[in-house]
Amino acid sequence: MNWKGANRLYSRHSLVLWSSRLGEDWEAAFSDAELRRGRSIYKKGRIREISLNDSDVIVNSKIGAAESYSVVEWLGGKLAVRSSSSDEELGGAIAVAGLLEIEELLADEDLSLLERGSLASGSEELEGEEEEERPLDLSKNAMNKTGEVRVLHLVLDTHFKGLICEAYWLSEDGARVSALSKEDGAPRANNSDERGRLIMLAARARKSHFVYSPEFGGYLLENLREVVYFIQTVWPTWKSRFSTEERENVKHIQQGVVEIKLKPQASRARSGGLDIQWVFDSGAKLLDSGLADELLARNDEPMLVPELGVIKLTEESRQALSAWKEVEADASGEGQLYQLFSLFGEGEEEVELSDDLSRWREGLLNPKPDEEMELLDCLRSYQRQGVEWMSRLLRHDCHCLLADEMGLGKTVQVIALLVAQRKADERVIVVCPASVVPVWISEFAKFAPDVNIGKFGGRTAKAAAKLDVVVVSFALLRNRIDRLVAEEFAYAIVDEAQFIKNPDSKVSRSCRRLRAKRRIALTGTPIENKPLDIWPAFQFLMPGMLGSRDQFDRLYAENPGAFKARLRAQIRPFMLRRTKSEVALELPEKTIVDLECPVTPVQAREYQRICEEGLARFGDDLGSAMRTNRFATLSLLTRLRQVSCDPQLLPWMDANIEDSGKLMVLLEKLIEVLGTGHKVVIFSQFVRFLVRAREMIEHAFPELPIFELTGSTADREKPVREFQNTDQTSAMLVSLKAASVGITLHAADYVFLLDPWWNPAVESQAIDRVHRIGQTKSVFVYRLFARGTIEEKIQQLQREKRDLFDSIVNGSKAGPDLLASGVQSLQSLLALAQGS
């Protein structure tokens, strides 16, 4: 409806005349078709102007692109119509719309003239009349033709769609009939007085932005902000002018928009899953599914709920309800019991639990010691506790992430669990890096020799089906997943779960496709770079526990602090993390020393040249270069890191050993360490740098046994075994990534990290190859870095990302990207070198 209305031209005299003429049943002068069409034109605001004269009314309209007019004349006491339109029905409809505009005009005058009887009597000008205006009692009318007095009675009610005002004629005997036509809200009146009151009601309703609704047979106000204003401010004036009645729920609107908290009631469904009913905290009204969808669709906008008033959900309730709706959508209306923690953490005050669900959660969070489990005698006390913890979660239909620090024996804890609980006909699948496959087989042979275990690769499907435990590498799982998902295992174990941290990778998706009744994930670094690292592991363990990926990312972006607290509460019951300092008190001390290495003139010259070429090619904005030419920029950063280690690593250089400041520092320390009979492990991410280090060591210590482990080593176990078993002073050269998992080198007690890596977790994994259970000597770790180079920035990056798991969130970028955000320009990297 057009709230602005038509342009109205009239005099006081003409208004009085036409008020008298419209007191009769003027609608009888038009056909039903003209009346219906005219009311539609009027409601849609198609009348542009009405001009009232003593003898006629000119009505101008615009319907679509066409402009038309009709003239309504008063001839011989009757209405006559002529029009510019050749469509006779349209001409009559325009006239009807114009007369309805006049009725609204009379109502807009607030019946001040009618209250003194002037308009109804058809009197002339009232200029100078000094009679005092008296308020009109709109609840009563003059007698109709039968002598009956009827009261205009308004009934106010609420509906989900808005506020409803119904109008009735109330007779002296208590009977009531609708005062408005059901079809279009046209007045139902027996005389001009009744009609005038309905016209005034229509005008007041229109001013308050009500529209007539055939569905409710009354006026409907949908804008909820206006509903509150109407009830609080306008309705009292209506009550003084009309006979009124308020239905029970109208009182709830008086308090305005109210924030409502939902009270969830959780119980175990018949199928054993999780069922949640939501109750409004005030009024104890049960929230049905349709209303829940509507509340969520409105976001922060209020909604009228008749039993409660105009409400909106608290942000906390809205998020919890939204999370549950996602669970329902993913699980066909029912969730898993573990999703209780996904929705509410451990807060008992947030949810009302049924008795059996309360006992379930109590048994999960506050267990009694399990005295029935017979575990391997070799287990340490913390390992026994870890096995009992995993067993408890699996018994409660939950799954677990064992995140003990590297070197605390996660593998033996899982083997002990399987020995204690696996039934004879139950099969197990273990997924791990290829380098760790032999470790699982040898550990089973050591602690559970009766278990039939073997690799999936190289066996026919028939042969693999006879194995109790099938061990498969991530790479083979990715390529054979369609065959492996055909079977449902009793246990599925993913070792080194950080390998599936990319949720979009094929290996991550393959792990999530595995079918198993019980699932366990193992990793010493559940979060390496960003919070999303942990989402795929829990999606494998308990799908939906951390919500959808989009929801996970969105909540973190919206409020990292609140997200951190909630994530901790969600994963706490299902992740066990112990550090060596907490449980392995018998481990000797570990000392970490940063060794600053000088930059030789050759290194400084090449470093500066590479920076200057980068400036000429990419400009000074490193972040922009990463976005527009990522590959070339990464290549530039790699060259800077290589020259910081050894100029010989650059493809165009032919340098001496003495041209590497790092190799010279390494040689000094090796002379000191090897001369006193220690074993050393030397790590680098650059295999060619290890080659250079070996050349230097062989020249300086010609009789020293040297072992090597890189990605190209065919038999990984041989050099590790020989290094571990030899009684001689020796050195082990290891590429950083090749040694991050699956090997034990605790025969050494000195560790050298020749170059810093973007992620400190990778360095920690390498160090823990030496500092782990079984180590009897104090361990010394030397981290070498070139002063005044990009390596200083990498160290800063490591400090920002260190202990990321403990804080849950500590930045969402990783590696070169975070470096680019922290280094303002390429020129600053050059300045580092110049200032050294």
Side-chain angles (χ1 to χ4, degrees), residues 265-484:
Q265 297 176 339
S267 60
R268 192 194 294 259
R270 291 183 178 179
S271 61
L274 179 66
D275 180 54
I276 294 182
Q277 300 293 322
W278 300 82
V279 176
F280 290 102
D281 210 20
S282 61
K285 173 182 169 56
L286 186 65
L287 178 66
D288 62 51
S289 180
L291 179 54
D293 292 338
E294 180 68 20
L295 282 167
L296 290 176
R298 289 175 178 259
N299 291 323
D300 197 40
E301 288 300 310
M303 177 178 182
L304 198 159
V305 179
E307 296 87 345
L308 300 172
V310 181
I311 68 166
K312 65 177 183 178
L313 295 180
T314 63
E315 180 62 20
E316 179 185 11
S317 292
R318 191 178 67 82
Q319 289 187 5
L321 179 60
S322 177
W324 173 245
K325 297 302 285 187
E326 285 197 17
V327 170
E328 284 188 311
D330 292 340
S332 302
E334 183 180 297
Q336 300 295 324
L337 293 184
Y338 58 71
Q339 287 173 315
L340 184 68
F341 296 92
S342 172
L343 297 167
F344 311 110
E346 296 181 37
E348 296 184 6
E349 72 285 351
E350 296 180 3
V351 58
E352 180 181 325
L353 300 179
S354 63
D355 290 343
D356 64 333
L357 199 56
S358 181
R359 289 191 296 270
W360 174 84
R361 189 173 72 170
E362 179 67 19
L364 185 68
L365 298 180
N366 301 297
K368 296 179 180 179
D370 192 340
E371 299 177 355
E372 298 180 0
M373 290 190 67
E374 295 184 5
L375 301 179
L376 298 176
D377 294 335
C378 63
L379 294 181
R380 299 167 185 265
S381 60
Y382 74 86
Q383 292 173 333
R384 179 177 293 272
Q385 292 168 1
V387 176
E388 293 173 348
W389 173 80
M390 288 188 287
S391 173
R392 181 175 75 253
L393 261 65
L394 297 176
R395 288 200 312 270
H396 284 79
D397 299 317
C398 295
H399 311 275
C400 47
L401 173 61
L402 184 58
D404 285 344
E405 192 175 26
M406 292 157 288
L408 292 183
K410 294 185 287 293
T411 303
V412 72
Q413 292 179 65
V414 172
I415 293 174
L417 174 74
L418 296 176
V419 169
Q421 294 197 337
R422 187 185 71 87
K423 297 179 181 177
D425 58 344
E426 290 183 333
R427 302 187 70 227
V428 180
I429 184 170
V430 177
V431 186
C432 59
S435 60
V436 184
V437 171
V439 176
W440 275 94
I441 294 176
S442 63
E443 291 291 279
F444 262 97
K446 179 179 179 181
F447 297 109
D450 296 336
V451 175
N452 185 14
I453 185 173
K455 294 187 293 185
F456 179 78
R459 289 175 174 265
T460 64
K462 185 175 181 181
K466 298 179 180 180
L467 296 173
D468 298 325
V469 179
V470 178
V471 187
V472 58
S473 68
F474 285 120
L476 197 57
L477 172 75
R478 181 184 58 203
N479 297 326
R480 299 288 187 271
I481 184 60
D482 290 336
R483 183 188 301 178
L484 289 168

Side-chain angles (χ1 to χ4, degrees), residues 65 92 184 254 282 438 534 544 621 719 729 777 806:
D184 57 7
Q254 290 286 353
S282 61
I534 205 169
D621 189 340
T729 298
K777 299 181 290 292
D806 294 334

Side-chain angles (χ1 to χ4, degrees), residues 675-689:
T676 53
H678 296 279
K679 285 186 176 182
V680 302
V681 178
I682 301 171
F683 291 101
S684 175
Q685 60 204 283
F686 298 114
V687 175
R688 288 171 55 210
F689 197 24

Side-chain angles (χ1 to χ4, degrees), residues 48 67 147 355 470 474 489 521 622 634 831:
R48 304 182 68 181
E67 294 192 17
D355 290 343
V470 178
F474 285 120
F489 294 90
L622 182 58
L634 288 174

Side-chain angles (χ1 to χ4, degrees), residues 690-710:
L690 292 176
V691 172
R692 288 276 281 178
R694 179 167 190 147
E695 291 175 359
M696 182 191 71
I697 296 171
E698 287 177 339
H699 182 267
F701 307 94
E703 297 183 2
L704 181 75
I706 301 176
F707 304 92
E708 191 171 293
L709 178 61
T710 66

Side-chain angles (χ1 to χ4, degrees), residues 673-674 676-680 701-707 722-732 747-749 777:
V673 172
L674 296 176
T676 53
H678 296 279
K679 285 186 176 182
V680 302
F701 307 94
E703 297 183 2
L704 181 75
I706 301 176
F707 304 92
E722 292 178 350
F723 177 77
Q724 287 285 94
N725 293 336
T726 182
D727 294 330
Q728 302 179 59
T729 298
S730 54
M732 181 83 168
D749 54 346
K777 299 181 290 292

Side-chain angles (χ1 to χ4, degrees), residues 56 72 75 89 198 209 219 242 342 453 475 484 498 537-538 564 584 651 689 695 703 773 819:
D56 62 29
V72 183
L75 299 174
E89 180 184 298
L198 291 176
H209 295 177
Y219 297 104
F242 297 94
S342 172
I453 185 173
L484 289 168
Q498 71 273 13
F538 272 94
K564 166 186 170 181
F689 197 24
E695 291 175 359
E703 297 183 2
I773 299 299
L819 178 75

